[in-house]
Amino acid sequence: MLGASETALAHAIVLSSTPRADQTVRSEELAIEIRFNSRIDAARSHMKLFKIGGEAVALPILDAASADTLNAKATGLEPGAYRLHWQALSLDGHITQGDIPFAVSR
């Protein structure tokens, strides 16, 4: 039987991201990259971008150079606060999700 900490190890956990949480970016285009601690199924994972006070936009997942990374591209970013919501399916079948808040400034 697996303990709680062993079960948590089966989930895809974010190791790094672009943008980082609470980062301010200064471009209207943004290459998004989220790197996990395990392999993920990019075809069954997704990202959505929410502008605070605005509508959500689904971001197509781009081909990744690595099996542990989700990539997407956001364009037409206006100044303001955003929340990047991600959901990843690890190859062991566990789904994890989270949010990365960031801002755009010029």
Coordinates of all heavy atoms in Angstrom, one line a residue:
M1 N 0.9 -1.2 0.0 CA 0.0 0.0 0.0 C 0.9 1.2 0.0 O 1.9 1.3 0.7 CB -0.9 0.0 1.2 CG -1.8 1.2 1.3 SD -2.9 0.9 2.8 CE -4.2 2.0 2.2
L2 N 0.5 2.2 -0.8 CA 1.3 3.4 -0.9 C 0.8 4.4 0.1 O -0.4 4.6 0.4 CB 1.1 4.1 -2.3 CG 1.6 3.3 -3.5 CD1 1.2 4.0 -4.8 CD2 3.1 3.1 -3.4
G3 N 1.8 5.1 0.7 CA 1.5 6.2 1.7 C 1.2 7.5 0.9 O 1.3 7.5 -0.3
A4 N 0.7 8.5 1.6 CA 0.4 9.7 1.0 C 1.5 10.4 0.3 O 1.4 10.9 -0.8 CB -0.2 10.7 2.1
S5 N 2.7 10.3 0.8 CA 3.9 11.0 0.1 C 4.3 10.2 -1.1 O 4.7 10.7 -2.1 CB 5.0 11.1 1.1 OG 5.5 9.9 1.5
E6 N 4.1 8.8 -1.1 CA 4.4 8.0 -2.2 C 3.4 8.3 -3.4 O 3.8 8.4 -4.5 CB 4.5 6.6 -1.9 CG 5.6 6.2 -0.9 CD 5.5 4.9 -0.3 OE1 4.4 4.4 -0.3 OE2 6.5 4.3 0.1
T7 N 2.1 8.5 -3.0 CA 1.1 8.8 -4.0 C 1.4 10.1 -4.7 O 1.3 10.2 -5.9 CB -0.3 8.8 -3.3 OG1 -0.5 7.5 -2.7 CG2 -1.3 9.1 -4.3
A8 N 1.8 11.1 -3.9 CA 2.1 12.4 -4.4 C 3.2 12.4 -5.4 O 3.3 13.1 -6.4 CB 2.4 13.4 -3.3
L9 N 4.2 11.4 -5.3 CA 5.3 11.4 -6.2 C 4.9 10.9 -7.6 O 5.6 11.1 -8.5 CB 6.3 10.4 -5.6 CG 7.1 10.9 -4.4 CD1 8.0 9.8 -3.9 CD2 7.8 12.2 -4.7
A10 N 3.7 10.3 -7.7 CA 3.2 9.8 -9.0 C 2.6 11.0 -9.8 O 2.4 10.8 -11.0 CB 2.1 8.8 -8.8
H11 N 2.4 12.1 -9.2 CA 1.8 13.2 -9.9 C 2.9 14.1 -10.6 O 4.0 14.2 -10.1 CB 1.0 14.1 -9.0 CG -0.2 13.4 -8.4 ND1 -0.1 12.4 -7.5 CD2 -1.5 13.6 -8.6 CE1 -1.3 12.0 -7.2 NE2 -2.2 12.7 -7.9
A12 N 2.4 14.7 -11.7 CA 3.3 15.6 -12.4 C 3.4 16.9 -11.6 O 2.4 17.6 -11.4 CB 2.8 15.9 -13.8
I13 N 4.6 17.3 -11.2 CA 4.8 18.5 -10.4 C 5.6 19.5 -11.2 O 6.6 19.1 -11.9 CB 5.5 18.2 -9.1 CG1 4.6 17.3 -8.2 CG2 5.8 19.4 -8.3 CD1 5.3 16.7 -7.0
V14 N 5.2 20.8 -11.2 CA 5.9 21.8 -12.0 C 7.3 22.0 -11.3 O 7.4 22.3 -10.1 CB 5.1 23.1 -12.0 CG1 5.9 24.2 -12.7 CG2 3.8 22.9 -12.7
L15 N 8.3 21.9 -12.2 CA 9.7 22.2 -11.7 C 10.1 23.6 -12.1 O 10.8 24.3 -11.4 CB 10.7 21.2 -12.4 CG 10.6 19.8 -12.0 CD1 11.6 18.9 -12.8 CD2 10.7 19.6 -10.5
S16 N 9.6 24.1 -13.3 CA 9.9 25.5 -13.7 C 8.9 25.9 -14.7 O 8.2 25.0 -15.3 CB 11.3 25.6 -14.3 OG 11.4 24.8 -15.5
S17 N 8.7 27.2 -14.9 CA 7.8 27.7 -15.9 C 8.3 29.0 -16.5 O 9.0 29.8 -15.8 CB 6.4 27.8 -15.3 OG 6.4 28.9 -14.3
T18 N 7.8 29.3 -17.7 CA 8.0 30.6 -18.3 C 6.6 31.0 -18.8 O 6.0 30.2 -19.6 CB 8.9 30.6 -19.5 OG1 10.2 30.1 -19.0 CG2 9.0 31.9 -20.2
P19 N 6.0 32.0 -18.2 CA 6.5 32.9 -17.2 C 6.5 32.2 -15.8 O 5.8 31.2 -15.6 CB 5.5 34.0 -17.2 CG 4.2 33.4 -17.6 CD 4.6 32.3 -18.6
R20 N 7.4 32.8 -15.0 CA 7.4 32.3 -13.6 C 6.2 32.9 -12.9 O 5.6 34.0 -13.3 CB 8.6 32.8 -12.9 CG 9.9 32.2 -13.4 CD 11.2 32.7 -12.7 NE 11.1 34.2 -12.4 CZ 11.6 35.1 -13.3 NH1 12.1 34.7 -14.4 NH2 11.5 36.4 -13.0
A21 N 5.8 32.4 -11.7 CA 4.7 32.9 -11.0 C 5.0 34.3 -10.5 O 6.1 34.6 -10.1 CB 4.4 32.1 -9.7
D22 N 4.1 35.2 -10.7 CA 4.2 36.7 -10.4 C 5.2 37.4 -11.2 O 5.6 38.5 -10.8 CB 4.5 36.8 -8.9 CG 3.4 36.2 -8.0 OD1 2.2 36.3 -8.4 OD2 3.7 35.5 -7.0
Q23 N 5.7 36.9 -12.3 CA 6.6 37.6 -13.1 C 5.8 38.7 -13.9 O 4.7 38.5 -14.3 CB 7.3 36.6 -14.1 CG 8.2 37.3 -15.1 CD 8.9 36.3 -16.0 OE1 8.5 35.1 -16.1 NE2 9.8 36.8 -16.8
T24 N 6.5 39.8 -14.3 CA 6.0 40.8 -15.2 C 6.7 40.7 -16.5 O 8.0 40.7 -16.5 CB 6.1 42.2 -14.6 OG1 5.4 42.3 -13.4 CG2 5.6 43.2 -15.6
V25 N 6.0 40.5 -17.6 CA 6.6 40.4 -18.9 C 6.3 41.7 -19.7 O 5.3 42.3 -19.4 CB 6.1 39.1 -19.7 CG1 6.5 37.9 -19.0 CG2 4.6 39.2 -19.9
R26 N 7.1 42.0 -20.7 CA 6.9 43.3 -21.4 C 6.7 43.1 -22.8 O 6.9 44.0 -23.6 CB 8.2 44.1 -21.1 CG 8.4 44.4 -19.6 CD 9.4 45.5 -19.4 NE 9.7 45.7 -18.0 CZ 8.9 46.3 -17.2 NH1 7.8 46.9 -17.6 NH2 9.2 46.4 -15.9
S27 N 6.2 42.0 -23.3 CA 5.9 41.8 -24.7 C 4.5 41.4 -24.9 O 3.8 40.8 -24.0 CB 6.9 40.6 -25.1 OG 6.6 40.3 -26.5
E28 N 4.0 41.6 -26.1 CA 2.6 41.2 -26.5 C 2.6 39.7 -26.9 O 1.5 39.2 -27.1 CB 2.0 42.1 -27.5 CG 2.7 42.1 -28.8 CD 2.1 43.0 -29.8 OE1 1.7 44.1 -29.4 OE2 1.9 42.6 -31.0
E29 N 3.8 39.1 -27.1 CA 3.9 37.7 -27.4 C 4.7 37.0 -26.3 O 5.6 37.6 -25.8 CB 4.5 37.5 -28.7 CG 3.7 37.9 -29.9 CD 4.3 37.5 -31.2 OE1 5.3 36.7 -31.2 OE2 3.8 38.0 -32.2
L30 N 4.3 35.8 -26.0 CA 4.9 35.1 -24.9 C 5.0 33.6 -25.2 O 4.0 32.9 -25.5 CB 4.1 35.3 -23.6 CG 4.7 34.6 -22.4 CD1 6.0 35.1 -22.0 CD2 3.7 34.8 -21.2
A31 N 6.3 33.1 -25.3 CA 6.5 31.6 -25.4 C 6.3 31.0 -24.0 O 7.1 31.3 -23.1 CB 7.8 31.3 -26.0
I32 N 5.3 30.2 -23.8 CA 5.0 29.6 -22.5 C 5.6 28.2 -22.5 O 5.5 27.4 -23.4 CB 3.5 29.5 -22.3 CG1 2.9 30.9 -22.3 CG2 3.2 28.7 -21.0 CD1 1.4 30.9 -22.3
E33 N 6.3 27.9 -21.4 CA 6.9 26.6 -21.2 C 6.7 26.1 -19.7 O 7.1 26.9 -18.8 CB 8.4 26.6 -21.5 CG 9.0 25.2 -21.3 CD 10.5 25.2 -21.7 OE1 10.8 25.2 -22.9 OE2 11.3 25.2 -20.7
I34 N 6.1 25.0 -19.5 CA 6.0 24.4 -18.2 C 6.7 23.1 -18.2 O 6.4 22.2 -18.9 CB 4.5 24.3 -17.8 CG1 3.8 25.6 -17.9 CG2 4.4 23.7 -16.3 CD1 2.3 25.5 -17.6
R35 N 7.7 22.9 -17.3 CA 8.5 21.7 -17.2 C 8.1 21.0 -15.9 O 8.0 21.6 -14.8 CB 10.0 22.0 -17.2 CG 10.8 20.8 -17.4 CD 12.3 21.1 -17.7 NE 13.0 20.1 -17.0 CZ 13.8 20.4 -15.9 NH1 13.9 21.6 -15.4 NH2 14.4 19.4 -15.3
F36 N 7.8 19.7 -16.0 CA 7.4 18.8 -14.9 C 8.4 17.9 -14.5 O 9.4 17.7 -15.2 CB 6.1 18.1 -15.3 CG 4.9 18.9 -15.7 CD1 4.8 19.4 -17.0 CD2 4.1 19.3 -14.7 CE1 3.7 20.3 -17.3 CE2 3.0 20.2 -15.0 CZ 2.8 20.6 -16.3
N37 N 8.2 17.2 -13.3 CA 9.1 16.3 -12.8 C 9.0 14.9 -13.4 O 9.7 14.0 -13.0 CB 9.0 16.2 -11.3 CG 7.7 15.5 -10.9 OD1 6.7 15.7 -11.6 ND2 7.6 14.9 -9.8
S38 N 8.0 14.7 -14.3 CA 7.8 13.4 -14.9 C 7.3 13.6 -16.3 O 6.9 14.7 -16.7 CB 6.8 12.6 -14.1 OG 5.5 13.2 -14.1
R39 N 7.2 12.5 -17.1 CA 6.7 12.6 -18.4 C 5.2 12.8 -18.4 O 4.5 12.4 -17.5 CB 7.0 11.2 -19.1 CG 8.5 11.0 -19.3 CD 8.7 9.7 -20.0 NE 8.1 9.7 -21.3 CZ 8.2 8.8 -22.2 NH1 8.9 7.7 -21.9 NH2 7.7 8.9 -23.4
I40 N 4.7 13.5 -19.4 CA 3.3 13.9 -19.4 C 2.8 13.5 -20.8 O 3.5 13.4 -21.8 CB 3.1 15.3 -19.1 CG1 3.9 16.2 -20.1 CG2 3.4 15.7 -17.7 CD1 3.5 17.7 -20.1
D41 N 1.5 13.4 -20.9 CA 0.8 13.2 -22.2 C 0.3 14.5 -22.7 O -0.7 15.0 -22.3 CB -0.4 12.2 -22.0 CG -1.1 11.9 -23.3 OD1 -0.9 12.6 -24.3 OD2 -1.9 10.9 -23.3
A42 N 1.1 15.2 -23.5 CA 0.8 16.5 -24.0 C -0.5 16.6 -24.8 O -1.2 17.6 -24.7 CB 2.0 17.1 -24.8
A43 N -0.8 15.5 -25.5 CA -2.0 15.5 -26.3 C -3.3 15.5 -25.4 O -4.4 15.9 -25.9 CB -2.1 14.3 -27.2
R44 N -3.2 15.1 -24.2 CA -4.3 15.1 -23.3 C -4.2 16.1 -22.2 O -4.9 16.0 -21.1 CB -4.5 13.7 -22.7 CG -4.9 12.7 -23.8 CD -5.1 11.3 -23.2 NE -5.4 10.4 -24.4 CZ -5.5 9.1 -24.2 NH1 -5.3 8.6 -23.0 NH2 -5.7 8.4 -25.2
S45 N -3.3 17.0 -22.3 CA -3.1 18.1 -21.4 C -3.6 19.4 -22.0 O -3.8 19.5 -23.3 CB -1.6 18.2 -21.0 OG -1.2 17.0 -20.4
H46 N -3.8 20.4 -21.2 CA -4.2 21.7 -21.8 C -3.8 22.9 -21.0 O -3.5 22.8 -19.8 CB -5.7 21.7 -22.1 CG -6.6 21.8 -20.9 ND1 -7.2 20.7 -20.4 CD2 -7.0 22.8 -20.1 CE1 -7.9 21.0 -19.3 NE2 -7.8 22.3 -19.1
M47 N -3.9 24.1 -21.6 CA -3.6 25.3 -21.0 C -4.7 26.3 -21.4 O -5.2 26.3 -22.5 CB -2.3 25.9 -21.4 CG -1.1 25.2 -20.8 SD 0.4 26.2 -21.0 CE 1.3 25.1 -22.0
K48 N -5.1 27.2 -20.4 CA -6.0 28.3 -20.7 C -5.4 29.5 -20.1 O -4.8 29.5 -19.0 CB -7.4 28.0 -20.1 CG -8.2 27.0 -20.8 CD -9.6 26.9 -20.2 CE -10.4 25.9 -20.9 NZ -11.8 25.7 -20.3
L49 N -5.6 30.6 -20.8 CA -5.1 31.9 -20.4 C -6.3 32.8 -20.0 O -7.2 33.0 -20.8 CB -4.2 32.6 -21.4 CG -3.6 33.9 -21.1 CD1 -2.6 33.7 -19.9 CD2 -2.8 34.4 -22.3
F50 N -6.3 33.3 -18.8 CA -7.4 34.2 -18.3 C -6.8 35.6 -18.1 O -5.8 35.7 -17.4 CB -8.0 33.7 -17.0 CG -8.6 32.4 -17.0 CD1 -7.9 31.2 -16.9 CD2 -10.0 32.3 -17.1 CE1 -8.5 30.0 -17.0 CE2 -10.7 31.1 -17.1 CZ -9.9 29.9 -17.1
K51 N -7.4 36.6 -18.7 CA -7.0 37.9 -18.4 C -8.0 38.3 -17.3 O -9.2 38.1 -17.4 CB -7.1 38.9 -19.6 CG -6.7 40.3 -19.2 CD -6.6 41.2 -20.3 CE -6.1 42.6 -19.8 NZ -6.1 43.6 -20.7
I52 N -7.4 38.9 -16.2 CA -8.3 39.2 -15.1 C -9.3 40.2 -15.5 O -9.0 41.3 -16.1 CB -7.4 39.7 -13.9 CG1 -6.4 38.7 -13.5 CG2 -8.3 40.1 -12.7 CD1 -6.9 37.4 -13.1
G53 N -10.6 39.9 -15.3 CA -11.7 40.7 -15.8 C -12.1 40.5 -17.3 O -12.9 41.2 -17.8
G54 N -11.4 39.5 -17.9 CA -11.7 39.2 -19.3 C -12.1 37.8 -19.5 O -12.3 37.1 -18.6
E55 N -12.1 37.4 -20.8 CA -12.4 36.0 -21.1 C -11.2 35.1 -21.1 O -10.1 35.5 -21.3 CB -13.1 36.0 -22.5 CG -14.4 36.8 -22.6 CD -15.0 36.7 -24.0 OE1 -14.5 35.9 -24.8 OE2 -15.9 37.5 -24.3
A56 N -11.5 33.8 -21.0 CA -10.5 32.8 -21.1 C -10.2 32.4 -22.5 O -11.1 32.4 -23.3 CB -10.9 31.6 -20.3
V57 N -9.0 32.1 -22.8 CA -8.6 31.7 -24.2 C -7.8 30.4 -24.0 O -6.9 30.3 -23.3 CB -7.7 32.7 -24.8 CG1 -7.2 32.2 -26.2 CG2 -8.4 34.1 -25.0
A58 N -8.3 29.3 -24.7 CA -7.6 28.1 -24.8 C -6.3 28.2 -25.6 O -6.4 28.8 -26.7 CB -8.5 27.0 -25.3
L59 N -5.2 27.8 -25.1 CA -3.9 27.9 -25.8 C -3.6 26.5 -26.4 O -3.5 25.5 -25.7 CB -2.8 28.3 -24.9 CG -3.0 29.7 -24.3 CD1 -1.9 30.0 -23.3 CD2 -3.1 30.8 -25.3
P60 N -3.4 26.4 -27.7 CA -3.0 25.1 -28.3 C -1.7 24.7 -27.8 O -0.8 25.5 -27.7 CB -3.0 25.4 -29.8 CG -3.8 26.6 -30.0 CD -3.6 27.4 -28.7
I61 N -1.6 23.4 -27.4 CA -0.3 22.8 -27.0 C 0.6 22.6 -28.2 O 0.2 21.9 -29.2 CB -0.5 21.5 -26.2 CG1 -1.4 21.7 -25.0 CG2 0.8 20.9 -25.8 CD1 -0.9 22.6 -23.9
L62 N 1.8 23.1 -28.2 CA 2.7 23.0 -29.3 C 3.6 21.7 -29.0 O 3.7 21.3 -27.9 CB 3.6 24.2 -29.3 CG 2.9 25.5 -29.5 CD1 3.9 26.7 -29.4 CD2 2.1 25.6 -30.8
D63 N 4.2 21.2 -30.1 CA 5.1 20.1 -30.0 C 6.2 20.5 -29.0 O 6.8 21.5 -29.2 CB 5.7 19.7 -31.3 CG 4.6 19.0 -32.2 OD1 3.6 18.5 -31.6 OD2 4.8 19.0 -33.4
A64 N 6.5 19.6 -28.1 CA 7.6 19.9 -27.1 C 8.8 19.1 -27.5 O 8.8 18.1 -28.1 CB 7.1 19.4 -25.7
A65 N 10.0 19.7 -27.2 CA 11.2 19.1 -27.4 C 11.5 18.0 -26.4 O 12.4 17.1 -26.6 CB 12.4 20.1 -27.4
S66 N 10.8 18.0 -25.3 CA 11.0 17.1 -24.2 C 9.6 16.5 -23.8 O 8.6 17.2 -23.8 CB 11.6 17.8 -23.1 OG 11.7 16.9 -22.0
A67 N 9.6 15.2 -23.3 CA 8.3 14.6 -22.9 C 7.9 15.0 -21.6 O 6.8 14.6 -21.2 CB 8.6 13.1 -22.9
D68 N 8.6 15.9 -20.9 CA 8.2 16.4 -19.6 C 7.8 17.9 -19.6 O 7.8 18.5 -18.6 CB 9.3 16.1 -18.5 CG 10.6 16.9 -18.8 OD1 10.7 17.5 -19.9 OD2 11.5 16.8 -18.0
T69 N 7.5 18.4 -20.8 CA 7.3 19.8 -21.0 C 6.0 20.1 -21.8 O 5.8 19.4 -22.8 CB 8.5 20.5 -21.7 OG1 9.7 20.2 -20.9 CG2 8.4 22.0 -21.8
L70 N 5.3 21.1 -21.3 CA 4.2 21.6 -22.1 C 4.6 23.0 -22.7 O 5.1 23.8 -21.9 CB 2.9 21.8 -21.3 CG 2.1 20.6 -20.8 CD1 1.0 21.0 -19.9 CD2 1.7 19.8 -22.0
N71 N 4.3 23.2 -24.0 CA 4.7 24.5 -24.6 C 3.4 25.0 -25.3 O 2.6 24.3 -25.8 CB 5.7 24.3 -25.7 CG 7.1 23.9 -25.1 OD1 7.6 24.6 -24.2 ND2 7.6 22.8 -25.6
A72 N 3.3 26.4 -25.2 CA 2.2 27.1 -25.9 C 2.7 28.5 -26.2 O 3.8 28.9 -25.8 CB 1.0 27.1 -25.1
K73 N 1.9 29.2 -27.0 CA 2.3 30.6 -27.4 C 1.1 31.4 -27.2 O 0.0 31.1 -27.6 CB 2.8 30.6 -28.8 CG 3.3 32.0 -29.2 CD 4.0 32.0 -30.6 CE 4.6 33.3 -30.9 NZ 5.3 33.2 -32.2
A74 N 1.3 32.6 -26.5 CA 0.2 33.6 -26.3 C 0.6 34.8 -27.1 O 1.7 35.2 -27.1 CB 0.1 33.9 -24.8
T75 N -0.4 35.3 -27.9 CA -0.1 36.5 -28.7 C -1.2 37.6 -28.4 O -2.2 37.3 -27.8 CB -0.2 36.2 -30.2 OG1 -1.5 35.7 -30.5 CG2 0.9 35.2 -30.6
G76 N -0.9 38.8 -28.7 CA -1.8 39.9 -28.5 C -2.0 40.2 -27.1 O -3.1 40.7 -26.7
L77 N -1.0 40.0 -26.2 CA -1.2 40.3 -24.8 C -1.2 41.8 -24.6 O -0.3 42.5 -25.0 CB -0.1 39.7 -24.0 CG 0.0 38.1 -24.0 CD1 1.2 37.7 -23.3 CD2 -1.3 37.5 -23.4
E78 N -2.3 42.3 -23.9 CA -2.4 43.7 -23.5 C -1.9 43.8 -22.1 O -1.9 42.8 -21.3 CB -3.8 44.1 -23.6 CG -4.4 44.0 -25.1 CD -5.9 44.3 -25.1 OE1 -6.5 44.7 -24.1 OE2 -6.4 44.2 -26.2
P79 N -1.5 45.0 -21.7 CA -1.1 45.2 -20.3 C -2.2 44.8 -19.3 O -3.4 45.1 -19.6 CB -0.8 46.7 -20.2 CG -0.4 47.1 -21.6 CD -1.3 46.2 -22.5
G80 N -1.8 44.2 -18.2 CA -2.8 43.8 -17.2 C -2.3 42.5 -16.5 O -1.3 42.0 -16.8
A81 N -3.2 42.0 -15.7 CA -3.0 40.8 -14.9 C -3.6 39.6 -15.6 O -4.7 39.7 -16.1 CB -3.5 41.0 -13.5
Y82 N -2.8 38.5 -15.6 CA -3.3 37.3 -16.2 C -3.1 36.1 -15.3 O -2.3 36.1 -14.3 CB -2.4 37.0 -17.5 CG -2.7 37.9 -18.6 CD1 -2.1 39.2 -18.7 CD2 -3.6 37.6 -19.6 CE1 -2.3 40.0 -19.7 CE2 -3.8 38.4 -20.7 CZ -3.2 39.7 -20.7 OH -3.4 40.5 -21.8
R83 N -3.8 35.0 -15.6 CA -3.7 33.7 -14.9 C -3.6 32.6 -15.9 O -4.5 32.5 -16.7 CB -4.8 33.5 -13.9 CG -4.8 32.2 -13.2 CD -5.9 32.1 -12.1 NE -7.2 32.3 -12.6 CZ -8.0 31.3 -13.0 NH1 -7.6 30.0 -12.9 NH2 -9.2 31.5 -13.5
L84 N -2.5 31.9 -15.9 CA -2.3 30.8 -16.8 C -2.7 29.5 -16.1 O -2.1 29.2 -15.0 CB -0.9 30.7 -17.2 CG -0.5 29.4 -18.1 CD1 -1.2 29.5 -19.5 CD2 1.0 29.3 -18.3
H85 N -3.8 28.9 -16.5 CA -4.3 27.6 -15.9 C -3.8 26.5 -16.8 O -3.9 26.5 -18.0 CB -5.8 27.6 -15.8 CG -6.3 26.3 -15.2 ND1 -6.3 26.1 -13.9 CD2 -6.8 25.2 -15.8 CE1 -6.8 24.9 -13.7 NE2 -7.1 24.3 -14.8
W86 N -3.2 25.5 -16.1 CA -2.7 24.3 -16.8 C -3.3 23.1 -16.2 O -3.6 23.0 -15.0 CB -1.1 24.2 -16.8 CG -0.6 24.2 -15.4 CD1 -0.2 25.3 -14.7 CD2 -0.4 23.1 -14.6 NE1 0.3 24.9 -13.5 CE2 0.2 23.5 -13.4 CE3 -0.6 21.7 -14.8 CZ2 0.5 22.7 -12.3 CZ3 -0.3 20.9 -13.7 CH2 0.2 21.3 -12.5
Q87 N -3.4 22.0 -17.0 CA -3.8 20.7 -16.6 C -3.0 19.7 -17.3 O -3.0 19.7 -18.5 CB -5.3 20.5 -16.8 CG -5.8 19.1 -16.3 CD -7.3 18.9 -16.5 OE1 -8.0 19.7 -16.0 NE2 -7.6 17.8 -17.1
A88 N -2.3 18.8 -16.6 CA -1.4 17.9 -17.2 C -1.8 16.5 -16.8 O -2.2 16.2 -15.7 CB 0.0 18.1 -16.8
L89 N -1.7 15.6 -17.8 CA -1.9 14.1 -17.6 C -0.6 13.5 -17.6 O 0.1 13.5 -18.6 CB -2.9 13.5 -18.6 CG -3.1 12.0 -18.6 CD1 -3.8 11.6 -17.3 CD2 -3.8 11.5 -19.8
S90 N -0.2 12.9 -16.4 CA 1.1 12.2 -16.4 C 0.9 10.8 -17.0 O -0.3 10.4 -17.1 CB 1.6 12.1 -15.0 OG 0.7 11.4 -14.2
L91 N 1.9 10.2 -17.5 CA 1.8 8.9 -18.1 C 1.3 7.8 -17.2 O 0.9 6.8 -17.7 CB 3.1 8.6 -18.8 CG 3.5 9.5 -20.0 CD1 4.8 8.9 -20.6 CD2 2.4 9.6 -21.0
D92 N 1.4 8.0 -15.9 CA 0.8 7.0 -15.0 C -0.7 7.2 -14.8 O -1.3 6.5 -14.0 CB 1.6 7.0 -13.7 CG 1.4 8.4 -12.9 OD1 0.7 9.2 -13.4 OD2 2.1 8.5 -11.9
G93 N -1.3 8.2 -15.5 CA -2.7 8.4 -15.5 C -3.2 9.4 -14.5 O -4.4 9.7 -14.4
H94 N -2.4 10.0 -13.7 CA -2.8 11.1 -12.8 C -2.9 12.4 -13.4 O -2.0 12.8 -14.2 CB -1.8 11.1 -11.6 CG -1.9 9.9 -10.7 ND1 -0.9 9.0 -10.7 CD2 -2.8 9.6 -9.8 CE1 -1.2 8.1 -9.8 NE2 -2.4 8.4 -9.3
I95 N -3.9 13.2 -13.1 CA -4.1 14.5 -13.6 C -3.8 15.5 -12.5 O -4.2 15.3 -11.4 CB -5.6 14.7 -14.1 CG1 -5.9 13.8 -15.2 CG2 -5.8 16.2 -14.4 CD1 -7.4 13.9 -15.6
T96 N -3.0 16.5 -12.9 CA -2.7 17.6 -11.9 C -3.0 18.9 -12.7 O -3.0 18.9 -13.9 CB -1.2 17.6 -11.5 OG1 -0.4 17.6 -12.6 CG2 -0.9 16.4 -10.6
Q97 N -3.2 19.9 -11.9 CA -3.5 21.2 -12.5 C -3.1 22.3 -11.5 O -2.9 22.1 -10.3 CB -5.0 21.3 -12.8 CG -5.9 21.1 -11.6 CD -7.4 21.2 -12.0 OE1 -7.8 21.9 -13.0 NE2 -8.2 20.4 -11.4
G98 N -3.0 23.5 -12.1 CA -2.5 24.6 -11.3 C -2.7 25.9 -12.0 O -3.1 25.9 -13.2
D99 N -2.3 27.0 -11.4 CA -2.4 28.3 -12.0 C -1.0 29.0 -11.8 O -0.4 28.9 -10.8 CB -3.5 29.1 -11.3 CG -4.8 28.5 -11.6 OD1 -5.3 28.5 -12.7 OD2 -5.5 28.0 -10.6
I100 N -0.7 29.8 -12.8 CA 0.5 30.7 -12.7 C 0.1 32.1 -13.0 O -0.3 32.5 -14.1 CB 1.6 30.2 -13.8 CG1 2.0 28.8 -13.5 CG2 2.8 31.1 -13.8 CD1 2.8 28.1 -14.6
P101 N 0.0 32.9 -12.0 CA -0.3 34.3 -12.2 C 0.9 35.1 -12.7 O 2.0 34.9 -12.3 CB -0.8 34.8 -10.8 CG 0.0 34.0 -9.9 CD 0.2 32.6 -10.6
F102 N 0.6 36.0 -13.6 CA 1.7 36.9 -14.1 C 1.0 38.2 -14.7 O -0.2 38.3 -14.7 CB 2.5 36.2 -15.2 CG 1.8 36.0 -16.5 CD1 2.0 36.8 -17.6 CD2 1.0 34.8 -16.7 CE1 1.3 36.6 -18.8 CE2 0.4 34.6 -17.9 CZ 0.5 35.5 -18.9
A103 N 1.9 39.1 -15.0 CA 1.4 40.4 -15.5 C 2.1 40.8 -16.8 O 3.2 40.4 -17.0 CB 1.5 41.5 -14.4
V104 N 1.4 41.6 -17.6 CA 2.1 42.2 -18.8 C 2.1 43.7 -18.5 O 1.1 44.3 -18.1 CB 1.2 41.9 -20.0 CG1 1.8 42.6 -21.2 CG2 1.2 40.4 -20.3
S105 N 3.3 44.3 -18.8 CA 3.5 45.7 -18.6 C 4.3 46.2 -19.8 O 5.1 45.5 -20.4 CB 4.2 46.0 -17.3 OG 4.4 47.4 -17.2
R106 N 4.1 47.4 -20.2 CA 4.9 48.0 -21.3 C 5.8 49.2 -20.7 O 5.4 49.9 -19.9 CB 4.1 48.5 -22.4 CG 3.2 47.5 -23.0 CD 3.7 47.0 -24.3 NE 2.6 46.4 -25.1 CZ 2.1 45.2 -24.8 NH1 2.5 44.5 -23.8 NH2 1.1 44.7 -25.6

